[in-house]
Each structure stands twice: as structure tokens, then as C-alpha cells.
Amino acid sequence: ALPIVYIVFQRLPGRGLAFAKPAGLLVIGYLFWLALSLHILPNRPGSIVWVALPIALISLWIVKNHRWKMLDFAQKNTGYIIAIEVVYFFGLLIAAHIRSFLPDIGGTEKPMDFLFLNAASRSRYYTPDDPWLSGFGVSYYYFGYVINAMIGKLAAVPTSVAFNLAVASTAALAATTA
């Protein structure tokens, strides 16, 4: 989504590059949710690839048509681009390190969050199956769980690992965009 963000936020001094990761997750997550909600695709890793393909093609088209402007911007703003990646890397590293001291999914609302993450990860189509009311769909806002379940499914990690990585990556994305 980096080339798309580069065009959409072209009036900003940094061209919105700090928003590229969350924007990519948001757009691909929305397309994934839409495809599963309309029963076009099932909840599988291959479906994620299919919904990401149009974003990749649009990005390639933008790079083809704006590559010289993009390269010029990258050369003039190398420090800014590196700073974005450094903030994300250390944000992820610090958040994952802190989370590693207490990785269990217990206390406060973590069990419920884990429940919804599992529902979003395991349901064949959306609305995810409600884990509390068999035979019904979740009547709760669950889009954030869809995005994190999508990432965990694509990375082929168990939902317990995806849960802890979601906590760390959310903190890193927040630090980067801030």
C-alpha cells in the first residue's frame, strides 16, 4: 500500500509514509472481511492473497507511472524513511519484550479478546460464529480481530502467538503513526 499512500497523501510533507503499514492492513483487511461477509471467498490464507492482489496491482501501476518522482522523494527523504522504520522496529521490539514478561492470556478482557480472535480465525465466513451463542453470528464489533486473525493466518502461527504479536504490533503501529 506504500505507493497508494504516497499518492493519496501527496500533500503532506512526508507523503503519509508513516501511515503505509496501517493503511495497507486496513484496506486489505476490509477487502478480506467483505469477501468473507459476501461468501465470495472462505477464510483461508489463499483468500488473503486474492484480496491483496488488487492492491498489489494498483501499487505496481502507481510505481510504473510515478517511479521517478518516488525515487526522487526517497533520495531526498532517506533519513525520514529510515526513522519511520526504526520507530516501528523499536516499538515492536519494546512492546514484544514487555509482553514477553506476562504472555498468558488471562485477566481483564484478554480472554474475551482471545475468544473473538479465535472466532474470526476459525469461522469459514463472516459474520464469525458467536462462541457464546451457538448458531448465531457475533453481534459485536470485530474488525480489529479480523485484521489480526488475517495476519496470524497468513503467518501460519497459532492464535495464541497471533494474539501476543497483535498486542505488540498495535503498539508499534501507534508509535509509528504518532
Side-chain angles (χ1 to χ4, degrees):
L2 180 64
I4 296 169
V5 169
Y6 177 84
I7 295 298
V8 171
F9 294 108
Q10 63 185 320
R11 293 182 183 242
L12 293 177
R15 299 284 180 136
L17 296 185
F19 299 107
K21 287 180 185 70
L25 289 173
L26 181 67
V27 171
I28 293 170
Y30 178 73
L31 292 174
F32 182 65
W33 170 82
L34 194 61
L36 270 64
S37 294
L38 297 174
H39 293 222
I40 295 170
L41 294 170
N43 190 359
R44 297 188 340 221
S47 299
I48 301 164
V49 174
W50 279 112
V51 299
L53 191 61
I55 303 304
L57 292 174
I58 292 168
S59 294
L60 284 172
W61 181 80
I62 291 170
V63 167
K64 180 183 174 198
N65 292 317
H66 298 277
R67 71 177 161 266
W68 300 117
K69 285 192 252 179
M70 293 175 78
L71 283 171
D72 185 51
F73 176 82
Q75 288 173 345
K76 291 179 181 174
N77 296 285
T78 305
Y80 175 69
I81 294 167
I82 291 171
I84 291 170
E85 296 305 320
V86 166
V87 168
Y88 180 78
F89 175 77
F90 282 108
L92 185 66
L93 186 70
I94 291 166
H97 179 70
I98 291 169
R99 185 76 184 128
S100 72
F101 287 108
L102 192 60
D104 61 321
I105 303 168
T108 63
E109 292 195 12
K110 288 181 201 144
M112 186 190 77
D113 289 333
F114 188 54
L115 184 82
F116 282 121
L117 181 65
N118 277 304
S121 182
R122 294 179 182 171
S123 295
R124 182 164 170 83
Y125 296 104
Y126 290 157
T127 305
D129 300 326
D130 192 326
W132 286 318
L133 189 57
S134 181
F136 291 88
V138 169
S139 59
Y140 190 77
Y141 50 92
Y142 60 91
F143 186 60
Y145 302 106
V146 169
I147 292 173
N148 289 307
M150 178 185 74
I151 295 168
K153 189 172 285 291
L154 194 59
V157 297
T159 51
S160 58
V161 174
F163 180 88
N164 286 317
L165 289 175
V167 172
S169 67
T170 300
L173 289 171
T176 304
T177 55

PDB file of all heavy atoms in Angstrom, residues 6-36:
ATOM      1  N   TYR A   6       1.408   7.035  -0.895  1.00  0.00           N
ATOM      2  CA  TYR A   6       2.230   8.095  -1.472  1.00  0.00           C
ATOM      3  C   TYR A   6       1.376   9.036  -2.331  1.00  0.00           C
ATOM      4  O   TYR A   6       1.545  10.256  -2.292  1.00  0.00           O
ATOM      5  CB  TYR A   6       3.357   7.476  -2.302  1.00  0.00           C
ATOM      6  CG  TYR A   6       4.240   8.472  -3.011  1.00  0.00           C
ATOM      7  CD1 TYR A   6       5.305   9.064  -2.350  1.00  0.00           C
ATOM      8  CD2 TYR A   6       4.000   8.828  -4.330  1.00  0.00           C
ATOM      9  CE1 TYR A   6       6.118   9.979  -2.997  1.00  0.00           C
ATOM     10  CE2 TYR A   6       4.803   9.740  -4.986  1.00  0.00           C
ATOM     11  CZ  TYR A   6       5.865  10.320  -4.309  1.00  0.00           C
ATOM     12  OH  TYR A   6       6.662  11.235  -4.948  1.00  0.00           O
ATOM     13  N   ILE A   7       0.448   8.491  -3.085  1.00  0.00           N
ATOM     14  CA  ILE A   7      -0.422   9.302  -3.947  1.00  0.00           C
ATOM     15  C   ILE A   7      -1.544   9.958  -3.136  1.00  0.00           C
ATOM     16  O   ILE A   7      -1.818  11.156  -3.290  1.00  0.00           O
ATOM     17  CB  ILE A   7      -1.016   8.439  -5.086  1.00  0.00           C
ATOM     18  CG1 ILE A   7       0.086   7.957  -6.021  1.00  0.00           C
ATOM     19  CG2 ILE A   7      -2.096   9.194  -5.855  1.00  0.00           C
ATOM     20  CD1 ILE A   7       0.847   9.041  -6.746  1.00  0.00           C
ATOM     21  N   VAL A   8      -2.200   9.193  -2.279  1.00  0.00           N
ATOM     22  CA  VAL A   8      -3.347   9.718  -1.524  1.00  0.00           C
ATOM     23  C   VAL A   8      -2.930  10.852  -0.592  1.00  0.00           C
ATOM     24  O   VAL A   8      -3.645  11.847  -0.459  1.00  0.00           O
ATOM     25  CB  VAL A   8      -4.040   8.578  -0.735  1.00  0.00           C
ATOM     26  CG1 VAL A   8      -5.094   9.125   0.224  1.00  0.00           C
ATOM     27  CG2 VAL A   8      -4.677   7.582  -1.694  1.00  0.00           C
ATOM     28  N   PHE A   9      -1.776  10.728   0.041  1.00  0.00           N
ATOM     29  CA  PHE A   9      -1.307  11.735   0.996  1.00  0.00           C
ATOM     30  C   PHE A   9      -0.212  12.629   0.395  1.00  0.00           C
ATOM     31  O   PHE A   9       0.651  13.109   1.122  1.00  0.00           O
ATOM     32  CB  PHE A   9      -0.786  11.061   2.266  1.00  0.00           C
ATOM     33  CG  PHE A   9      -1.844  10.356   3.056  1.00  0.00           C
ATOM     34  CD1 PHE A   9      -1.890   8.974   3.088  1.00  0.00           C
ATOM     35  CD2 PHE A   9      -2.790  11.074   3.765  1.00  0.00           C
ATOM     36  CE1 PHE A   9      -2.864   8.314   3.825  1.00  0.00           C
ATOM     37  CE2 PHE A   9      -3.757  10.418   4.501  1.00  0.00           C
ATOM     38  CZ  PHE A   9      -3.808   9.043   4.531  1.00  0.00           C
ATOM     39  N   GLN A  10      -0.267  12.871  -0.884  1.00  0.00           N
ATOM     40  CA  GLN A  10       0.808  13.608  -1.541  1.00  0.00           C
ATOM     41  C   GLN A  10       0.941  15.045  -1.070  1.00  0.00           C
ATOM     42  O   GLN A  10       1.996  15.655  -1.221  1.00  0.00           O
ATOM     43  CB  GLN A  10       0.649  13.549  -3.055  1.00  0.00           C
ATOM     44  CG  GLN A  10      -0.590  14.193  -3.603  1.00  0.00           C
ATOM     45  CD  GLN A  10      -0.700  13.976  -5.099  1.00  0.00           C
ATOM     46  OE1 GLN A  10       0.301  14.053  -5.800  1.00  0.00           O
ATOM     47  NE2 GLN A  10      -1.901  13.697  -5.572  1.00  0.00           N
ATOM     48  N   ARG A  11      -0.074  15.614  -0.458  1.00  0.00           N
ATOM     49  CA  ARG A  11       0.025  16.997   0.024  1.00  0.00           C
ATOM     50  C   ARG A  11       0.712  17.108   1.384  1.00  0.00           C
ATOM     51  O   ARG A  11       1.061  18.205   1.801  1.00  0.00           O
ATOM     52  CB  ARG A  11      -1.354  17.639   0.088  1.00  0.00           C
ATOM     53  CG  ARG A  11      -1.948  17.833  -1.289  1.00  0.00           C
ATOM     54  CD  ARG A  11      -3.284  18.508  -1.196  1.00  0.00           C
ATOM     55  NE  ARG A  11      -3.856  18.619  -2.522  1.00  0.00           N
ATOM     56  CZ  ARG A  11      -4.126  19.762  -3.094  1.00  0.00           C
ATOM     57  NH1 ARG A  11      -3.895  20.885  -2.470  1.00  0.00           N
ATOM     58  NH2 ARG A  11      -4.650  19.781  -4.299  1.00  0.00           N
ATOM     59  N   LEU A  12       0.882  15.985   2.060  1.00  0.00           N
ATOM     60  CA  LEU A  12       1.580  16.011   3.341  1.00  0.00           C
ATOM     61  C   LEU A  12       3.087  16.058   3.101  1.00  0.00           C
ATOM     62  O   LEU A  12       3.581  15.491   2.118  1.00  0.00           O
ATOM     63  CB  LEU A  12       1.237  14.772   4.172  1.00  0.00           C
ATOM     64  CG  LEU A  12      -0.198  14.660   4.672  1.00  0.00           C
ATOM     65  CD1 LEU A  12      -0.390  13.346   5.416  1.00  0.00           C
ATOM     66  CD2 LEU A  12      -0.559  15.823   5.566  1.00  0.00           C
ATOM     67  N   PRO A  13       3.839  16.699   3.994  1.00  0.00           N
ATOM     68  CA  PRO A  13       5.295  16.793   3.788  1.00  0.00           C
ATOM     69  C   PRO A  13       5.975  15.426   3.681  1.00  0.00           C
ATOM     70  O   PRO A  13       6.870  15.239   2.868  1.00  0.00           O
ATOM     71  CB  PRO A  13       5.786  17.549   5.025  1.00  0.00           C
ATOM     72  CG  PRO A  13       4.594  18.214   5.585  1.00  0.00           C
ATOM     73  CD  PRO A  13       3.393  17.412   5.173  1.00  0.00           C
ATOM     74  N   GLY A  14       5.541  14.454   4.476  1.00  0.00           N
ATOM     75  CA  GLY A  14       6.155  13.125   4.432  1.00  0.00           C
ATOM     76  C   GLY A  14       5.405  12.157   3.545  1.00  0.00           C
ATOM     77  O   GLY A  14       5.660  10.956   3.579  1.00  0.00           O
ATOM     78  N   ARG A  15       4.469  12.687   2.758  1.00  0.00           N
ATOM     79  CA  ARG A  15       3.649  11.875   1.850  1.00  0.00           C
ATOM     80  C   ARG A  15       2.890  10.770   2.574  1.00  0.00           C
ATOM     81  O   ARG A  15       2.461   9.799   1.963  1.00  0.00           O
ATOM     82  CB  ARG A  15       4.498  11.253   0.738  1.00  0.00           C
ATOM     83  CG  ARG A  15       5.191  12.228  -0.157  1.00  0.00           C
ATOM     84  CD  ARG A  15       4.213  12.850  -1.136  1.00  0.00           C
ATOM     85  NE  ARG A  15       4.869  13.788  -2.015  1.00  0.00           N
ATOM     86  CZ  ARG A  15       4.652  13.835  -3.306  1.00  0.00           C
ATOM     87  NH1 ARG A  15       3.793  13.033  -3.869  1.00  0.00           N
ATOM     88  NH2 ARG A  15       5.289  14.719  -4.029  1.00  0.00           N
ATOM     89  N   GLY A  16       2.734  10.884   3.887  1.00  0.00           N
ATOM     90  CA  GLY A  16       1.965   9.912   4.646  1.00  0.00           C
ATOM     91  C   GLY A  16       2.626   8.554   4.780  1.00  0.00           C
ATOM     92  O   GLY A  16       1.953   7.566   5.070  1.00  0.00           O
ATOM     93  N   LEU A  17       3.932   8.501   4.587  1.00  0.00           N
ATOM     94  CA  LEU A  17       4.619   7.204   4.605  1.00  0.00           C
ATOM     95  C   LEU A  17       4.469   6.471   5.944  1.00  0.00           C
ATOM     96  O   LEU A  17       4.468   5.244   5.968  1.00  0.00           O
ATOM     97  CB  LEU A  17       6.091   7.373   4.255  1.00  0.00           C
ATOM     98  CG  LEU A  17       6.387   7.884   2.845  1.00  0.00           C
ATOM     99  CD1 LEU A  17       7.886   7.890   2.587  1.00  0.00           C
ATOM    100  CD2 LEU A  17       5.668   7.079   1.801  1.00  0.00           C
ATOM    101  N   ALA A  18       4.314   7.225   7.028  1.00  0.00           N
ATOM    102  CA  ALA A  18       4.135   6.582   8.330  1.00  0.00           C
ATOM    103  C   ALA A  18       2.800   5.842   8.414  1.00  0.00           C
ATOM    104  O   ALA A  18       2.621   4.982   9.264  1.00  0.00           O
ATOM    105  CB  ALA A  18       4.232   7.621   9.445  1.00  0.00           C
ATOM    106  N   PHE A  19       1.877   6.169   7.504  1.00  0.00           N
ATOM    107  CA  PHE A  19       0.563   5.528   7.502  1.00  0.00           C
ATOM    108  C   PHE A  19       0.488   4.329   6.558  1.00  0.00           C
ATOM    109  O   PHE A  19      -0.566   3.705   6.434  1.00  0.00           O
ATOM    110  CB  PHE A  19      -0.521   6.539   7.107  1.00  0.00           C
ATOM    111  CG  PHE A  19      -0.624   7.703   8.041  1.00  0.00           C
ATOM    112  CD1 PHE A  19      -0.167   8.953   7.655  1.00  0.00           C
ATOM    113  CD2 PHE A  19      -1.154   7.553   9.300  1.00  0.00           C
ATOM    114  CE1 PHE A  19      -0.249  10.034   8.506  1.00  0.00           C
ATOM    115  CE2 PHE A  19      -1.242   8.619  10.161  1.00  0.00           C
ATOM    116  CZ  PHE A  19      -0.796   9.859   9.777  1.00  0.00           C
ATOM    117  N   ALA A  20       1.559   4.011   5.875  1.00  0.00           N
ATOM    118  CA  ALA A  20       1.527   2.956   4.856  1.00  0.00           C
ATOM    119  C   ALA A  20       1.183   1.583   5.443  1.00  0.00           C
ATOM    120  O   ALA A  20       0.339   0.869   4.892  1.00  0.00           O
ATOM    121  CB  ALA A  20       2.860   2.889   4.112  1.00  0.00           C
ATOM    122  N   LYS A  21       1.805   1.207   6.534  1.00  0.00           N
ATOM    123  CA  LYS A  21       1.523  -0.113   7.122  1.00  0.00           C
ATOM    124  C   LYS A  21       0.090  -0.208   7.626  1.00  0.00           C
ATOM    125  O   LYS A  21      -0.628  -1.150   7.270  1.00  0.00           O
ATOM    126  CB  LYS A  21       2.519  -0.419   8.246  1.00  0.00           C
ATOM    127  CG  LYS A  21       3.909  -0.753   7.781  1.00  0.00           C
ATOM    128  CD  LYS A  21       4.813  -1.030   8.986  1.00  0.00           C
ATOM    129  CE  LYS A  21       6.241  -1.244   8.593  1.00  0.00           C
ATOM    130  NZ  LYS A  21       6.920  -0.047   8.124  1.00  0.00           N
ATOM    131  N   PRO A  22      -0.366   0.736   8.469  1.00  0.00           N
ATOM    132  CA  PRO A  22      -1.761   0.616   8.921  1.00  0.00           C
ATOM    133  C   PRO A  22      -2.767   0.757   7.784  1.00  0.00           C
ATOM    134  O   PRO A  22      -3.798   0.083   7.786  1.00  0.00           O
ATOM    135  CB  PRO A  22      -1.932   1.731   9.950  1.00  0.00           C
ATOM    136  CG  PRO A  22      -0.695   2.515   9.957  1.00  0.00           C
ATOM    137  CD  PRO A  22       0.333   1.811   9.155  1.00  0.00           C
ATOM    138  N   ALA A  23      -2.479   1.585   6.794  1.00  0.00           N
ATOM    139  CA  ALA A  23      -3.403   1.730   5.660  1.00  0.00           C
ATOM    140  C   ALA A  23      -3.483   0.433   4.866  1.00  0.00           C
ATOM    141  O   ALA A  23      -4.574   0.016   4.450  1.00  0.00           O
ATOM    142  CB  ALA A  23      -2.960   2.881   4.765  1.00  0.00           C
ATOM    143  N   GLY A  24      -2.351  -0.210   4.662  1.00  0.00           N
ATOM    144  CA  GLY A  24      -2.343  -1.489   3.955  1.00  0.00           C
ATOM    145  C   GLY A  24      -3.142  -2.548   4.700  1.00  0.00           C
ATOM    146  O   GLY A  24      -3.932  -3.281   4.108  1.00  0.00           O
ATOM    147  N   LEU A  25      -2.938  -2.617   6.009  1.00  0.00           N
ATOM    148  CA  LEU A  25      -3.701  -3.577   6.815  1.00  0.00           C
ATOM    149  C   LEU A  25      -5.192  -3.265   6.778  1.00  0.00           C
ATOM    150  O   LEU A  25      -6.027  -4.164   6.690  1.00  0.00           O
ATOM    151  CB  LEU A  25      -3.203  -3.568   8.264  1.00  0.00           C
ATOM    152  CG  LEU A  25      -1.828  -4.175   8.501  1.00  0.00           C
ATOM    153  CD1 LEU A  25      -1.392  -3.954   9.942  1.00  0.00           C
ATOM    154  CD2 LEU A  25      -1.851  -5.659   8.175  1.00  0.00           C
ATOM    155  N   LEU A  26      -5.526  -1.989   6.849  1.00  0.00           N
ATOM    156  CA  LEU A  26      -6.924  -1.580   6.848  1.00  0.00           C
ATOM    157  C   LEU A  26      -7.605  -1.926   5.525  1.00  0.00           C
ATOM    158  O   LEU A  26      -8.685  -2.521   5.513  1.00  0.00           O
ATOM    159  CB  LEU A  26      -7.021  -0.078   7.116  1.00  0.00           C
ATOM    160  CG  LEU A  26      -8.420   0.506   7.174  1.00  0.00           C
ATOM    161  CD1 LEU A  26      -9.165  -0.037   8.389  1.00  0.00           C
ATOM    162  CD2 LEU A  26      -8.356   2.018   7.245  1.00  0.00           C
ATOM    163  N   VAL A  27      -6.979  -1.588   4.420  1.00  0.00           N
ATOM    164  CA  VAL A  27      -7.600  -1.834   3.109  1.00  0.00           C
ATOM    165  C   VAL A  27      -7.686  -3.328   2.811  1.00  0.00           C
ATOM    166  O   VAL A  27      -8.739  -3.830   2.404  1.00  0.00           O
ATOM    167  CB  VAL A  27      -6.831  -1.086   1.994  1.00  0.00           C
ATOM    168  CG1 VAL A  27      -7.317  -1.494   0.620  1.00  0.00           C
ATOM    169  CG2 VAL A  27      -6.965   0.412   2.181  1.00  0.00           C
ATOM    170  N   ILE A  28      -6.604  -4.044   3.022  1.00  0.00           N
ATOM    171  CA  ILE A  28      -6.629  -5.485   2.758  1.00  0.00           C
ATOM    172  C   ILE A  28      -7.565  -6.185   3.736  1.00  0.00           C
ATOM    173  O   ILE A  28      -8.320  -7.087   3.354  1.00  0.00           O
ATOM    174  CB  ILE A  28      -5.205  -6.077   2.792  1.00  0.00           C
ATOM    175  CG1 ILE A  28      -4.401  -5.527   1.615  1.00  0.00           C
ATOM    176  CG2 ILE A  28      -5.236  -7.604   2.749  1.00  0.00           C
ATOM    177  CD1 ILE A  28      -2.929  -5.828   1.666  1.00  0.00           C
ATOM    178  N   GLY A  29      -7.550  -5.754   4.995  1.00  0.00           N
ATOM    179  CA  GLY A  29      -8.474  -6.317   5.980  1.00  0.00           C
ATOM    180  C   GLY A  29      -9.924  -6.082   5.601  1.00  0.00           C
ATOM    181  O   GLY A  29     -10.772  -6.972   5.746  1.00  0.00           O
ATOM    182  N   TYR A  30     -10.220  -4.883   5.106  1.00  0.00           N
ATOM    183  CA  TYR A  30     -11.594  -4.587   4.702  1.00  0.00           C
ATOM    184  C   TYR A  30     -12.010  -5.444   3.507  1.00  0.00           C
ATOM    185  O   TYR A  30     -13.120  -5.994   3.493  1.00  0.00           O
ATOM    186  CB  TYR A  30     -11.752  -3.102   4.362  1.00  0.00           C
ATOM    187  CG  TYR A  30     -13.150  -2.767   3.905  1.00  0.00           C
ATOM    188  CD1 TYR A  30     -14.205  -2.732   4.812  1.00  0.00           C
ATOM    189  CD2 TYR A  30     -13.416  -2.535   2.563  1.00  0.00           C
ATOM    190  CE1 TYR A  30     -15.491  -2.457   4.399  1.00  0.00           C
ATOM    191  CE2 TYR A  30     -14.706  -2.254   2.145  1.00  0.00           C
ATOM    192  CZ  TYR A  30     -15.745  -2.207   3.054  1.00  0.00           C
ATOM    193  OH  TYR A  30     -17.007  -1.940   2.633  1.00  0.00           O
ATOM    194  N   LEU A  31     -11.140  -5.574   2.518  1.00  0.00           N
ATOM    195  CA  LEU A  31     -11.463  -6.410   1.364  1.00  0.00           C
ATOM    196  C   LEU A  31     -11.631  -7.877   1.767  1.00  0.00           C
ATOM    197  O   LEU A  31     -12.509  -8.577   1.262  1.00  0.00           O
ATOM    198  CB  LEU A  31     -10.385  -6.270   0.285  1.00  0.00           C
ATOM    199  CG  LEU A  31     -10.301  -4.910  -0.396  1.00  0.00           C
ATOM    200  CD1 LEU A  31      -9.107  -4.865  -1.342  1.00  0.00           C
ATOM    201  CD2 LEU A  31     -11.588  -4.572  -1.120  1.00  0.00           C
ATOM    202  N   PHE A  32     -10.798  -8.334   2.696  1.00  0.00           N
ATOM    203  CA  PHE A  32     -10.898  -9.700   3.213  1.00  0.00           C
ATOM    204  C   PHE A  32     -12.228  -9.891   3.935  1.00  0.00           C
ATOM    205  O   PHE A  32     -12.953 -10.859   3.694  1.00  0.00           O
ATOM    206  CB  PHE A  32      -9.714  -9.975   4.147  1.00  0.00           C
ATOM    207  CG  PHE A  32      -9.666 -11.359   4.708  1.00  0.00           C
ATOM    208  CD1 PHE A  32      -9.465 -12.458   3.891  1.00  0.00           C
ATOM    209  CD2 PHE A  32      -9.791 -11.578   6.072  1.00  0.00           C
ATOM    210  CE1 PHE A  32      -9.400 -13.736   4.409  1.00  0.00           C
ATOM    211  CE2 PHE A  32      -9.724 -12.844   6.604  1.00  0.00           C
ATOM    212  CZ  PHE A  32      -9.528 -13.933   5.770  1.00  0.00           C
ATOM    213  N   TRP A  33     -12.560  -8.940   4.807  1.00  0.00           N
ATOM    214  CA  TRP A  33     -13.828  -9.004   5.538  1.00  0.00           C
ATOM    215  C   TRP A  33     -15.004  -8.999   4.566  1.00  0.00           C
ATOM    216  O   TRP A  33     -15.957  -9.763   4.715  1.00  0.00           O
ATOM    217  CB  TRP A  33     -13.934  -7.827   6.509  1.00  0.00           C
ATOM    218  CG  TRP A  33     -15.284  -7.695   7.120  1.00  0.00           C
ATOM    219  CD1 TRP A  33     -15.776  -8.379   8.193  1.00  0.00           C
ATOM    220  CD2 TRP A  33     -16.336  -6.831   6.673  1.00  0.00           C
ATOM    221  NE1 TRP A  33     -17.071  -7.995   8.439  1.00  0.00           N
ATOM    222  CE2 TRP A  33     -17.434  -7.049   7.518  1.00  0.00           C
ATOM    223  CE3 TRP A  33     -16.441  -5.901   5.642  1.00  0.00           C
ATOM    224  CZ2 TRP A  33     -18.635  -6.367   7.368  1.00  0.00           C
ATOM    225  CZ3 TRP A  33     -17.637  -5.226   5.494  1.00  0.00           C
ATOM    226  CH2 TRP A  33     -18.711  -5.457   6.346  1.00  0.00           C
ATOM    227  N   LEU A  34     -14.951  -8.135   3.568  1.00  0.00           N
ATOM    228  CA  LEU A  34     -16.028  -8.024   2.590  1.00  0.00           C
ATOM    229  C   LEU A  34     -16.192  -9.326   1.807  1.00  0.00           C
ATOM    230  O   LEU A  34     -17.320  -9.815   1.620  1.00  0.00           O
ATOM    231  CB  LEU A  34     -15.735  -6.857   1.645  1.00  0.00           C
ATOM    232  CG  LEU A  34     -16.870  -6.379   0.764  1.00  0.00           C
ATOM    233  CD1 LEU A  34     -18.033  -5.879   1.608  1.00  0.00           C
ATOM    234  CD2 LEU A  34     -16.371  -5.265  -0.148  1.00  0.00           C
ATOM    235  N   ALA A  35     -15.090  -9.914   1.358  1.00  0.00           N
ATOM    236  CA  ALA A  35     -15.149 -11.168   0.602  1.00  0.00           C
ATOM    237  C   ALA A  35     -15.728 -12.301   1.440  1.00  0.00           C
ATOM    238  O   ALA A  35     -16.501 -13.124   0.936  1.00  0.00           O
ATOM    239  CB  ALA A  35     -13.754 -11.545   0.098  1.00  0.00           C
ATOM    240  N   LEU A  36     -15.391 -12.345   2.724  1.00  0.00           N
ATOM    241  CA  LEU A  36     -15.930 -13.386   3.592  1.00  0.00           C
ATOM    242  C   LEU A  36     -17.374 -13.100   3.983  1.00  0.00           C
ATOM    243  O   LEU A  36     -18.182 -14.022   4.115  1.00  0.00           O
ATOM    244  CB  LEU A  36     -15.066 -13.554   4.839  1.00  0.00           C
ATOM    245  CG  LEU A  36     -13.928 -14.574   4.714  1.00  0.00           C
ATOM    246  CD1 LEU A  36     -12.901 -14.167   3.696  1.00  0.00           C
ATOM    247  CD2 LEU A  36     -13.289 -14.816   6.054  1.00  0.00           C
TER     248      LEU A  36
END
